[in-house]
Amino acid sequence: MEGREALEMGNILHHVLDEFYKEMAEKDRADLSFWEDKAKIRVRFLEKLKQCVAKSPFKHQPLYRQRIYWDSMAEVLDLFVEQEAEFRRARPLVPTHFELSFGDKASSPLDYLKIPSPRGEVRIEGKIDRVDLMPGGKEALVIDYKLSKRSEPLREKLAKGLELQLPIYILAMKRLLGVEVIGAELRFLKDAGKEGIYRKDYKEALALNHGKGFYEKEEMEEMLQKAETVLLESVRRLREGDIAIRSKSCEFCRFDSVCRFEKWKMVYADES
């Protein structure tokens, strides 16, 4: 499923997960036994899904298409229940914040993420799908839901300066909530997969034994500093009206097959 249908499915699933957790009693969020009754949890998810679909553009589709969308999303939620139950058993983290906004004064007390710059302060607003906290509330894991897995590994995108979302979220949590961020994780809903940026000294707490997303504390700080530099350079170009093509990825461009841009020249180019 591609295009608008996939986008709408992603929006609906985000909304279902957000509403489910916000309505969950605080004591249940920390209670491991809550996830033992998976059948009951699935019923609650499907009730939420029914409500969200009834308000979505899918309600105008033919019934057979509605059934296709429903079955697909119900399957995704089943996978999520299994994965979440496993994580809750293995990780001491407690789901705490959902759809956490910063920089939007109308919906959140959190200020903008402010990046100082000689050319003028850059202010960023955003919304984080979910933040889980360790007992004590001083260490956090940032979670962002994605419908499908991306083809390029996260670490490679970070190295090329193509991934700014997770670093921005980490910076926002550190500076606005004052917590120590032990990781930022992408959850791929369609296959119950995950990929992330993790502090190496928290491997056990995150129940992670292998992978390429581990950083020493100093390495993570360096990665965040690089992300800030890339961000400021992008803002400088916008302010100066610099629209020259400097792409490092044509993966999602519909015109890739006919474009004369020689992307291979730029993929590993040194722009320093």
Side-chain angles (χ1 to χ4, degrees):
M1 215 167 283
E2 299 179 356
R4 289 176 300 175
E5 290 86 356
L7 179 62
E8 187 59 36
M9 279 178 55
N11 290 338
I12 291 172
L13 290 167
H14 272 72
H15 193 64
V16 169
L17 296 174
D18 176 48
E19 294 245 327
F20 173 81
Y21 274 110
K22 283 182 176 177
E23 292 181 7
M24 184 187 294
E26 195 167 331
K27 64 179 180 62
D28 289 335
R29 295 177 190 170
D31 185 2
L32 296 182
S33 65
F34 175 84
W35 288 91
E36 293 177 1
D37 192 348
K38 295 178 186 177
K40 183 178 178 180
I41 294 172
R42 287 189 176 95
V43 169
R44 290 177 62 175
F45 268 129
L46 292 179
E47 288 173 351
K48 287 293 171 195
L49 181 60
K50 184 177 181 180
Q51 294 169 10
C52 291
V53 170
K55 301 174 185 177
S56 77
F58 286 165
K59 67 182 179 181
H60 302 298
Q61 294 285 340
L63 289 177
Y64 78 93
R65 280 189 172 273
Q66 291 186 40
R67 174 52 61 183
I68 292 172
Y69 301 146
W70 174 273
D71 289 347
S72 181
M73 290 186 287
E75 183 178 353
V76 166
L77 291 172
D78 276 350
L79 288 172
F80 180 85
V81 170
E82 293 295 333
Q83 183 192 53
E84 189 69 3
E86 182 179 333
F87 280 147
R88 295 296 297 117
R89 287 192 297 268
R91 294 173 167 179
L93 292 149
V94 178
T96 306
H97 301 292
F98 315 98
E99 294 287 319
L100 181 63
S101 297
F102 55 93
D104 182 357
K105 298 295 178 66
S107 62
S108 172
L110 296 180
D111 200 357
Y112 293 99
L113 171 63
K114 298 176 181 178
I115 310 292
S117 166
R119 299 171 183 268
E121 182 180 71
V122 175
R123 297 183 176 188
I124 302 171
E125 65 178 87
K127 183 181 291 185
I128 303 172
D129 287 340
R130 177 174 147 190
V131 179
D132 289 7
L133 296 179
M134 293 281 283
K138 295 182 180 180
E139 297 137 318
L141 174 69
V142 171
I143 295 174
D144 188 67
Y145 300 125
K146 301 293 184 189
L147 185 58
S148 303
K149 190 172 184 178
R150 309 300 165 85
S151 60
E152 189 167 16
L154 179 60
R155 194 170 184 116
E156 290 182 17
K157 293 184 72 175
L158 287 165
K160 295 178 187 178
L162 294 174
E163 171 60 51
L164 290 177
Q165 183 184 25
L166 291 184
I168 285 173
Y169 287 171
I170 293 173
L171 289 169
M173 289 300 92
K174 286 166 67 73
R175 295 177 186 176
L176 301 178
L177 276 188
V179 295
E180 187 74 17
V181 180
I182 63 176
E185 188 170 77
L186 298 175
R187 295 274 186 90
F188 305 116
L189 300 176
K190 288 188 76 171
D191 62 0
K194 69 181 188 304
E195 187 177 21
I197 305 166
Y198 306 108
R199 280 267 300 273
K200 194 172 184 179
D201 49 337
Y202 283 89
K203 282 175 70 172
E204 289 188 13
L206 294 169
L208 299 168
N209 299 316
H210 55 82
K212 298 181 180 180
F214 298 114
Y215 291 78
E216 300 289 353
K217 184 176 181 179
E218 295 77 15
E219 289 178 318
M220 184 170 282
E221 290 302 319
E222 289 175 8
M223 180 269 293
L224 294 174
Q225 289 174 9
K226 179 179 178 180
E228 283 193 73
T229 300
V230 172
L231 176 66
L232 290 176
E233 173 61 15
S234 299
V235 171
R236 180 196 66 78
R237 291 183 60 201
L238 286 170
R239 285 173 171 170
E240 296 179 0
D242 181 357
I243 59 173
I245 298 175
R246 297 183 187 177
S247 176
K248 290 188 178 183
S249 175
C250 301
E251 181 181 357
F252 298 108
C253 180
R254 293 183 298 167
F255 305 105
D256 182 35
S257 61
V258 295
C259 182
R260 297 179 65 185
F261 174 60
E262 295 177 326
K263 57 188 176 184
W264 60 270
K265 288 185 177 181
M266 297 300 298
V267 171
Y268 300 106
D270 182 5
E271 295 185 330
S272 60

PDB file of all heavy atoms in Angstrom, residues 101-135:
ATOM      1  N   SER A 101       4.576  17.838  22.599  1.00  0.00           N
ATOM      2  CA  SER A 101       4.903  18.993  21.754  1.00  0.00           C
ATOM      3  C   SER A 101       5.898  19.908  22.453  1.00  0.00           C
ATOM      4  O   SER A 101       5.914  20.022  23.676  1.00  0.00           O
ATOM      5  CB  SER A 101       3.641  19.798  21.432  1.00  0.00           C
ATOM      6  OG  SER A 101       2.721  19.024  20.691  1.00  0.00           O
ATOM      7  N   PHE A 102       6.729  20.565  21.649  1.00  0.00           N
ATOM      8  CA  PHE A 102       7.571  21.638  22.167  1.00  0.00           C
ATOM      9  C   PHE A 102       7.551  22.778  21.139  1.00  0.00           C
ATOM     10  O   PHE A 102       7.491  22.564  19.940  1.00  0.00           O
ATOM     11  CB  PHE A 102       9.005  21.165  22.445  1.00  0.00           C
ATOM     12  CG  PHE A 102       9.718  20.523  21.283  1.00  0.00           C
ATOM     13  CD1 PHE A 102      10.531  21.277  20.434  1.00  0.00           C
ATOM     14  CD2 PHE A 102       9.599  19.165  21.033  1.00  0.00           C
ATOM     15  CE1 PHE A 102      11.198  20.690  19.371  1.00  0.00           C
ATOM     16  CE2 PHE A 102      10.267  18.565  19.971  1.00  0.00           C
ATOM     17  CZ  PHE A 102      11.064  19.330  19.140  1.00  0.00           C
ATOM     18  N   GLY A 103       7.547  24.003  21.667  1.00  0.00           N
ATOM     19  CA  GLY A 103       7.515  25.170  20.787  1.00  0.00           C
ATOM     20  C   GLY A 103       6.128  25.601  20.370  1.00  0.00           C
ATOM     21  O   GLY A 103       5.973  26.636  19.735  1.00  0.00           O
ATOM     22  N   ASP A 104       5.110  24.818  20.711  1.00  0.00           N
ATOM     23  CA  ASP A 104       3.733  25.164  20.374  1.00  0.00           C
ATOM     24  C   ASP A 104       3.039  25.621  21.652  1.00  0.00           C
ATOM     25  O   ASP A 104       2.541  24.810  22.429  1.00  0.00           O
ATOM     26  CB  ASP A 104       3.022  23.955  19.766  1.00  0.00           C
ATOM     27  CG  ASP A 104       1.590  24.266  19.336  1.00  0.00           C
ATOM     28  OD1 ASP A 104       1.137  25.407  19.559  1.00  0.00           O
ATOM     29  OD2 ASP A 104       0.927  23.368  18.788  1.00  0.00           O
ATOM     30  N   LYS A 105       3.024  26.920  21.871  1.00  0.00           N
ATOM     31  CA  LYS A 105       2.521  27.464  23.133  1.00  0.00           C
ATOM     32  C   LYS A 105       1.052  27.102  23.381  1.00  0.00           C
ATOM     33  O   LYS A 105       0.596  27.063  24.516  1.00  0.00           O
ATOM     34  CB  LYS A 105       2.691  28.982  23.132  1.00  0.00           C
ATOM     35  CG  LYS A 105       4.151  29.443  23.027  1.00  0.00           C
ATOM     36  CD  LYS A 105       4.947  29.026  24.246  1.00  0.00           C
ATOM     37  CE  LYS A 105       6.413  29.434  24.141  1.00  0.00           C
ATOM     38  NZ  LYS A 105       6.583  30.897  24.162  1.00  0.00           N
ATOM     39  N   ALA A 106       0.306  26.849  22.306  1.00  0.00           N
ATOM     40  CA  ALA A 106      -1.116  26.546  22.467  1.00  0.00           C
ATOM     41  C   ALA A 106      -1.358  25.161  23.059  1.00  0.00           C
ATOM     42  O   ALA A 106      -2.392  24.920  23.692  1.00  0.00           O
ATOM     43  CB  ALA A 106      -1.835  26.666  21.122  1.00  0.00           C
ATOM     44  N   SER A 107      -0.409  24.232  22.857  1.00  0.00           N
ATOM     45  CA  SER A 107      -0.647  22.855  23.288  1.00  0.00           C
ATOM     46  C   SER A 107       0.385  22.326  24.275  1.00  0.00           C
ATOM     47  O   SER A 107       0.243  21.212  24.769  1.00  0.00           O
ATOM     48  CB  SER A 107      -0.679  21.928  22.067  1.00  0.00           C
ATOM     49  OG  SER A 107       0.571  21.936  21.398  1.00  0.00           O
ATOM     50  N   SER A 108       1.426  23.105  24.568  1.00  0.00           N
ATOM     51  CA  SER A 108       2.475  22.589  25.442  1.00  0.00           C
ATOM     52  C   SER A 108       3.173  23.716  26.185  1.00  0.00           C
ATOM     53  O   SER A 108       3.388  24.797  25.628  1.00  0.00           O
ATOM     54  CB  SER A 108       3.513  21.816  24.618  1.00  0.00           C
ATOM     55  OG  SER A 108       4.627  21.458  25.409  1.00  0.00           O
ATOM     56  N   PRO A 109       3.550  23.462  27.449  1.00  0.00           N
ATOM     57  CA  PRO A 109       4.319  24.468  28.194  1.00  0.00           C
ATOM     58  C   PRO A 109       5.787  24.496  27.800  1.00  0.00           C
ATOM     59  O   PRO A 109       6.521  25.403  28.217  1.00  0.00           O
ATOM     60  CB  PRO A 109       4.137  24.013  29.648  1.00  0.00           C
ATOM     61  CG  PRO A 109       3.966  22.524  29.553  1.00  0.00           C
ATOM     62  CD  PRO A 109       3.214  22.287  28.271  1.00  0.00           C
ATOM     63  N   LEU A 110       6.226  23.495  27.025  1.00  0.00           N
ATOM     64  CA  LEU A 110       7.636  23.433  26.642  1.00  0.00           C
ATOM     65  C   LEU A 110       7.956  24.482  25.584  1.00  0.00           C
ATOM     66  O   LEU A 110       7.221  24.660  24.613  1.00  0.00           O
ATOM     67  CB  LEU A 110       7.987  22.039  26.125  1.00  0.00           C
ATOM     68  CG  LEU A 110       7.867  20.886  27.122  1.00  0.00           C
ATOM     69  CD1 LEU A 110       8.256  19.575  26.470  1.00  0.00           C
ATOM     70  CD2 LEU A 110       8.742  21.143  28.349  1.00  0.00           C
ATOM     71  N   ASP A 111       9.075  25.139  25.767  1.00  0.00           N
ATOM     72  CA  ASP A 111       9.507  26.196  24.859  1.00  0.00           C
ATOM     73  C   ASP A 111      10.049  25.588  23.560  1.00  0.00           C
ATOM     74  O   ASP A 111      10.148  24.371  23.398  1.00  0.00           O
ATOM     75  CB  ASP A 111      10.601  27.027  25.539  1.00  0.00           C
ATOM     76  CG  ASP A 111      10.773  28.407  24.919  1.00  0.00           C
ATOM     77  OD1 ASP A 111      10.086  28.710  23.915  1.00  0.00           O
ATOM     78  OD2 ASP A 111      11.599  29.178  25.436  1.00  0.00           O
ATOM     79  N   TYR A 112      10.432  26.469  22.632  1.00  0.00           N
ATOM     80  CA  TYR A 112      11.122  26.031  21.429  1.00  0.00           C
ATOM     81  C   TYR A 112      12.464  25.410  21.806  1.00  0.00           C
ATOM     82  O   TYR A 112      13.075  25.778  22.819  1.00  0.00           O
ATOM     83  CB  TYR A 112      11.410  27.210  20.500  1.00  0.00           C
ATOM     84  CG  TYR A 112      10.203  27.868  19.894  1.00  0.00           C
ATOM     85  CD1 TYR A 112       9.683  29.037  20.443  1.00  0.00           C
ATOM     86  CD2 TYR A 112       9.591  27.333  18.757  1.00  0.00           C
ATOM     87  CE1 TYR A 112       8.582  29.662  19.888  1.00  0.00           C
ATOM     88  CE2 TYR A 112       8.481  27.948  18.199  1.00  0.00           C
ATOM     89  CZ  TYR A 112       7.975  29.107  18.762  1.00  0.00           C
ATOM     90  OH  TYR A 112       6.879  29.715  18.210  1.00  0.00           O
ATOM     91  N   LEU A 113      12.956  24.489  20.980  1.00  0.00           N
ATOM     92  CA  LEU A 113      14.352  24.088  21.045  1.00  0.00           C
ATOM     93  C   LEU A 113      15.136  25.201  20.364  1.00  0.00           C
ATOM     94  O   LEU A 113      14.918  25.486  19.180  1.00  0.00           O
ATOM     95  CB  LEU A 113      14.565  22.755  20.315  1.00  0.00           C
ATOM     96  CG  LEU A 113      16.037  22.341  20.140  1.00  0.00           C
ATOM     97  CD1 LEU A 113      16.712  22.123  21.490  1.00  0.00           C
ATOM     98  CD2 LEU A 113      16.132  21.077  19.283  1.00  0.00           C
ATOM     99  N   LYS A 114      16.023  25.837  21.092  1.00  0.00           N
ATOM    100  CA  LYS A 114      16.739  26.994  20.568  1.00  0.00           C
ATOM    101  C   LYS A 114      18.194  26.635  20.275  1.00  0.00           C
ATOM    102  O   LYS A 114      18.909  26.153  21.165  1.00  0.00           O
ATOM    103  CB  LYS A 114      16.664  28.154  21.568  1.00  0.00           C
ATOM    104  CG  LYS A 114      15.231  28.619  21.830  1.00  0.00           C
ATOM    105  CD  LYS A 114      15.165  29.697  22.903  1.00  0.00           C
ATOM    106  CE  LYS A 114      13.727  30.130  23.159  1.00  0.00           C
ATOM    107  NZ  LYS A 114      13.615  31.146  24.232  1.00  0.00           N
ATOM    108  N   ILE A 115      18.604  26.861  19.036  1.00  0.00           N
ATOM    109  CA  ILE A 115      19.968  26.592  18.599  1.00  0.00           C
ATOM    110  C   ILE A 115      20.663  27.929  18.380  1.00  0.00           C
ATOM    111  O   ILE A 115      20.286  28.676  17.470  1.00  0.00           O
ATOM    112  CB  ILE A 115      20.001  25.773  17.296  1.00  0.00           C
ATOM    113  CG1 ILE A 115      19.085  24.536  17.391  1.00  0.00           C
ATOM    114  CG2 ILE A 115      21.434  25.385  16.945  1.00  0.00           C
ATOM    115  CD1 ILE A 115      19.537  23.488  18.350  1.00  0.00           C
ATOM    116  N   PRO A 116      21.665  28.270  19.186  1.00  0.00           N
ATOM    117  CA  PRO A 116      22.348  29.558  19.000  1.00  0.00           C
ATOM    118  C   PRO A 116      23.164  29.583  17.713  1.00  0.00           C
ATOM    119  O   PRO A 116      23.707  28.563  17.281  1.00  0.00           O
ATOM    120  CB  PRO A 116      23.258  29.647  20.237  1.00  0.00           C
ATOM    121  CG  PRO A 116      23.448  28.238  20.686  1.00  0.00           C
ATOM    122  CD  PRO A 116      22.197  27.503  20.321  1.00  0.00           C
ATOM    123  N   SER A 117      23.195  30.743  17.091  1.00  0.00           N
ATOM    124  CA  SER A 117      23.925  30.905  15.838  1.00  0.00           C
ATOM    125  C   SER A 117      24.348  32.357  15.691  1.00  0.00           C
ATOM    126  O   SER A 117      23.592  33.261  16.080  1.00  0.00           O
ATOM    127  CB  SER A 117      23.042  30.502  14.653  1.00  0.00           C
ATOM    128  OG  SER A 117      23.597  30.945  13.428  1.00  0.00           O
ATOM    129  N   PRO A 118      25.554  32.606  15.142  1.00  0.00           N
ATOM    130  CA  PRO A 118      25.992  33.988  14.911  1.00  0.00           C
ATOM    131  C   PRO A 118      25.048  34.739  13.977  1.00  0.00           C
ATOM    132  O   PRO A 118      24.967  35.963  14.021  1.00  0.00           O
ATOM    133  CB  PRO A 118      27.374  33.814  14.263  1.00  0.00           C
ATOM    134  CG  PRO A 118      27.828  32.454  14.674  1.00  0.00           C
ATOM    135  CD  PRO A 118      26.593  31.632  14.754  1.00  0.00           C
ATOM    136  N   ARG A 119      24.314  34.016  13.134  1.00  0.00           N
ATOM    137  CA  ARG A 119      23.396  34.648  12.182  1.00  0.00           C
ATOM    138  C   ARG A 119      21.996  34.846  12.760  1.00  0.00           C
ATOM    139  O   ARG A 119      21.097  35.284  12.054  1.00  0.00           O
ATOM    140  CB  ARG A 119      23.306  33.790  10.911  1.00  0.00           C
ATOM    141  CG  ARG A 119      24.631  33.620  10.194  1.00  0.00           C
ATOM    142  CD  ARG A 119      24.508  32.599   9.076  1.00  0.00           C
ATOM    143  NE  ARG A 119      25.776  32.363   8.421  1.00  0.00           N
ATOM    144  CZ  ARG A 119      26.206  33.009   7.347  1.00  0.00           C
ATOM    145  NH1 ARG A 119      25.436  33.936   6.802  1.00  0.00           N
ATOM    146  NH2 ARG A 119      27.378  32.740   6.822  1.00  0.00           N
ATOM    147  N   GLY A 120      21.827  34.472  14.000  1.00  0.00           N
ATOM    148  CA  GLY A 120      20.505  34.596  14.615  1.00  0.00           C
ATOM    149  C   GLY A 120      20.020  33.269  15.145  1.00  0.00           C
ATOM    150  O   GLY A 120      20.188  32.230  14.494  1.00  0.00           O
ATOM    151  N   GLU A 121      19.437  33.281  16.313  1.00  0.00           N
ATOM    152  CA  GLU A 121      18.959  32.065  16.971  1.00  0.00           C
ATOM    153  C   GLU A 121      17.939  31.315  16.108  1.00  0.00           C
ATOM    154  O   GLU A 121      17.064  31.917  15.499  1.00  0.00           O
ATOM    155  CB  GLU A 121      18.318  32.457  18.294  1.00  0.00           C
ATOM    156  CG  GLU A 121      17.816  31.306  19.131  1.00  0.00           C
ATOM    157  CD  GLU A 121      17.190  31.791  20.420  1.00  0.00           C
ATOM    158  OE1 GLU A 121      16.090  32.381  20.365  1.00  0.00           O
ATOM    159  OE2 GLU A 121      17.801  31.601  21.486  1.00  0.00           O
ATOM    160  N   VAL A 122      18.099  29.989  16.049  1.00  0.00           N
ATOM    161  CA  VAL A 122      17.155  29.137  15.315  1.00  0.00           C
ATOM    162  C   VAL A 122      16.223  28.492  16.332  1.00  0.00           C
ATOM    163  O   VAL A 122      16.667  27.889  17.310  1.00  0.00           O
ATOM    164  CB  VAL A 122      17.897  28.045  14.511  1.00  0.00           C
ATOM    165  CG1 VAL A 122      16.894  27.098  13.861  1.00  0.00           C
ATOM    166  CG2 VAL A 122      18.794  28.674  13.463  1.00  0.00           C
ATOM    167  N   ARG A 123      14.912  28.640  16.101  1.00  0.00           N
ATOM    168  CA  ARG A 123      13.916  28.067  16.992  1.00  0.00           C
ATOM    169  C   ARG A 123      13.185  26.932  16.291  1.00  0.00           C
ATOM    170  O   ARG A 123      12.712  27.101  15.166  1.00  0.00           O
ATOM    171  CB  ARG A 123      12.911  29.131  17.439  1.00  0.00           C
ATOM    172  CG  ARG A 123      13.528  30.258  18.245  1.00  0.00           C
ATOM    173  CD  ARG A 123      12.481  31.223  18.718  1.00  0.00           C
ATOM    174  NE  ARG A 123      13.052  32.250  19.580  1.00  0.00           N
ATOM    175  CZ  ARG A 123      12.341  33.134  20.264  1.00  0.00           C
ATOM    176  NH1 ARG A 123      11.009  33.110  20.175  1.00  0.00           N
ATOM    177  NH2 ARG A 123      12.937  34.030  21.025  1.00  0.00           N
ATOM    178  N   ILE A 124      13.081  25.804  16.969  1.00  0.00           N
ATOM    179  CA  ILE A 124      12.472  24.615  16.373  1.00  0.00           C
ATOM    180  C   ILE A 124      11.305  24.150  17.232  1.00  0.00           C
ATOM    181  O   ILE A 124      11.413  24.089  18.463  1.00  0.00           O
ATOM    182  CB  ILE A 124      13.499  23.472  16.262  1.00  0.00           C
ATOM    183  CG1 ILE A 124      14.702  23.928  15.428  1.00  0.00           C
ATOM    184  CG2 ILE A 124      12.872  22.227  15.642  1.00  0.00           C
ATOM    185  CD1 ILE A 124      15.851  22.949  15.450  1.00  0.00           C
ATOM    186  N   GLU A 125      10.211  23.842  16.590  1.00  0.00           N
ATOM    187  CA  GLU A 125       9.095  23.227  17.295  1.00  0.00           C
ATOM    188  C   GLU A 125       8.864  21.830  16.725  1.00  0.00           C
ATOM    189  O   GLU A 125       9.208  21.545  15.578  1.00  0.00           O
ATOM    190  CB  GLU A 125       7.826  24.064  17.178  1.00  0.00           C
ATOM    191  CG  GLU A 125       7.253  24.207  15.784  1.00  0.00           C
ATOM    192  CD  GLU A 125       5.961  25.013  15.807  1.00  0.00           C
ATOM    193  OE1 GLU A 125       6.027  26.241  15.732  1.00  0.00           O
ATOM    194  OE2 GLU A 125       4.889  24.378  15.901  1.00  0.00           O
ATOM    195  N   GLY A 126       8.310  20.956  17.518  1.00  0.00           N
ATOM    196  CA  GLY A 126       8.078  19.594  17.055  1.00  0.00           C
ATOM    197  C   GLY A 126       7.143  18.847  17.986  1.00  0.00           C
ATOM    198  O   GLY A 126       6.638  19.396  18.974  1.00  0.00           O
ATOM    199  N   LYS A 127       6.922  17.590  17.649  1.00  0.00           N
ATOM    200  CA  LYS A 127       6.040  16.732  18.449  1.00  0.00           C
ATOM    201  C   LYS A 127       6.627  15.329  18.456  1.00  0.00           C
ATOM    202  O   LYS A 127       6.832  14.725  17.404  1.00  0.00           O
ATOM    203  CB  LYS A 127       4.628  16.718  17.884  1.00  0.00           C
ATOM    204  CG  LYS A 127       3.633  15.909  18.699  1.00  0.00           C
ATOM    205  CD  LYS A 127       2.253  15.912  18.075  1.00  0.00           C
ATOM    206  CE  LYS A 127       1.606  17.266  18.152  1.00  0.00           C
ATOM    207  NZ  LYS A 127       0.210  17.231  17.636  1.00  0.00           N
ATOM    208  N   ILE A 128       6.903  14.820  19.655  1.00  0.00           N
ATOM    209  CA  ILE A 128       7.520  13.508  19.831  1.00  0.00           C
ATOM    210  C   ILE A 128       6.430  12.481  20.120  1.00  0.00           C
ATOM    211  O   ILE A 128       5.603  12.680  21.009  1.00  0.00           O
ATOM    212  CB  ILE A 128       8.547  13.538  20.981  1.00  0.00           C
ATOM    213  CG1 ILE A 128       9.610  14.609  20.697  1.00  0.00           C
ATOM    214  CG2 ILE A 128       9.203  12.177  21.160  1.00  0.00           C
ATOM    215  CD1 ILE A 128      10.554  14.849  21.863  1.00  0.00           C
ATOM    216  N   ASP A 129       6.434  11.384  19.373  1.00  0.00           N
ATOM    217  CA  ASP A 129       5.379  10.383  19.530  1.00  0.00           C
ATOM    218  C   ASP A 129       5.279   9.868  20.964  1.00  0.00           C
ATOM    219  O   ASP A 129       4.176   9.747  21.516  1.00  0.00           O
ATOM    220  CB  ASP A 129       5.623   9.198  18.584  1.00  0.00           C
ATOM    221  CG  ASP A 129       5.337   9.558  17.138  1.00  0.00           C
ATOM    222  OD1 ASP A 129       4.617  10.540  16.891  1.00  0.00           O
ATOM    223  OD2 ASP A 129       5.845   8.851  16.241  1.00  0.00           O
ATOM    224  N   ARG A 130       6.443   9.578  21.552  1.00  0.00           N
ATOM    225  CA  ARG A 130       6.395   8.950  22.875  1.00  0.00           C
ATOM    226  C   ARG A 130       7.742   9.078  23.572  1.00  0.00           C
ATOM    227  O   ARG A 130       8.791   9.030  22.929  1.00  0.00           O
ATOM    228  CB  ARG A 130       6.015   7.478  22.701  1.00  0.00           C
ATOM    229  CG  ARG A 130       5.982   6.659  23.975  1.00  0.00           C
ATOM    230  CD  ARG A 130       5.446   5.285  23.657  1.00  0.00           C
ATOM    231  NE  ARG A 130       6.037   4.254  24.478  1.00  0.00           N
ATOM    232  CZ  ARG A 130       5.887   2.944  24.285  1.00  0.00           C
ATOM    233  NH1 ARG A 130       5.155   2.523  23.269  1.00  0.00           N
ATOM    234  NH2 ARG A 130       6.458   2.062  25.070  1.00  0.00           N
ATOM    235  N   VAL A 131       7.699   9.233  24.891  1.00  0.00           N
ATOM    236  CA  VAL A 131       8.914   9.257  25.706  1.00  0.00           C
ATOM    237  C   VAL A 131       8.706   8.312  26.884  1.00  0.00           C
ATOM    238  O   VAL A 131       7.745   8.462  27.647  1.00  0.00           O
ATOM    239  CB  VAL A 131       9.233  10.671  26.228  1.00  0.00           C
ATOM    240  CG1 VAL A 131      10.501  10.643  27.086  1.00  0.00           C
ATOM    241  CG2 VAL A 131       9.397  11.660  25.078  1.00  0.00           C
ATOM    242  N   ASP A 132       9.589   7.323  26.999  1.00  0.00           N
ATOM    243  CA  ASP A 132       9.562   6.400  28.134  1.00  0.00           C
ATOM    244  C   ASP A 132      10.643   6.817  29.128  1.00  0.00           C
ATOM    245  O   ASP A 132      11.757   7.184  28.724  1.00  0.00           O
ATOM    246  CB  ASP A 132       9.832   4.964  27.675  1.00  0.00           C
ATOM    247  CG  ASP A 132       8.663   4.376  26.890  1.00  0.00           C
ATOM    248  OD1 ASP A 132       7.711   5.119  26.596  1.00  0.00           O
ATOM    249  OD2 ASP A 132       8.728   3.185  26.550  1.00  0.00           O
ATOM    250  N   LEU A 133      10.337   6.742  30.420  1.00  0.00           N
ATOM    251  CA  LEU A 133      11.284   7.130  31.452  1.00  0.00           C
ATOM    252  C   LEU A 133      11.700   5.935  32.301  1.00  0.00           C
ATOM    253  O   LEU A 133      10.901   5.034  32.567  1.00  0.00           O
ATOM    254  CB  LEU A 133      10.679   8.200  32.363  1.00  0.00           C
ATOM    255  CG  LEU A 133      10.331   9.552  31.718  1.00  0.00           C
ATOM    256  CD1 LEU A 133       9.719  10.483  32.760  1.00  0.00           C
ATOM    257  CD2 LEU A 133      11.543  10.196  31.073  1.00  0.00           C
ATOM    258  N   MET A 134      12.961   5.961  32.723  1.00  0.00           N
ATOM    259  CA  MET A 134      13.449   4.976  33.684  1.00  0.00           C
ATOM    260  C   MET A 134      12.883   5.308  35.052  1.00  0.00           C
ATOM    261  O   MET A 134      12.468   6.453  35.309  1.00  0.00           O
ATOM    262  CB  MET A 134      14.984   5.020  33.738  1.00  0.00           C
ATOM    263  CG  MET A 134      15.666   4.548  32.455  1.00  0.00           C
ATOM    264  SD  MET A 134      15.698   2.747  32.321  1.00  0.00           S
ATOM    265  CE  MET A 134      17.019   2.347  33.466  1.00  0.00           C
ATOM    266  N   PRO A 135      12.836   4.334  35.982  1.00  0.00           N
ATOM    267  CA  PRO A 135      12.390   4.632  37.344  1.00  0.00           C
ATOM    268  C   PRO A 135      13.195   5.797  37.921  1.00  0.00           C
ATOM    269  O   PRO A 135      14.413   5.832  37.809  1.00  0.00           O
ATOM    270  CB  PRO A 135      12.683   3.328  38.093  1.00  0.00           C
ATOM    271  CG  PRO A 135      12.603   2.266  37.036  1.00  0.00           C
ATOM    272  CD  PRO A 135      13.149   2.896  35.791  1.00  0.00           C
TER     273      PRO A 135
END
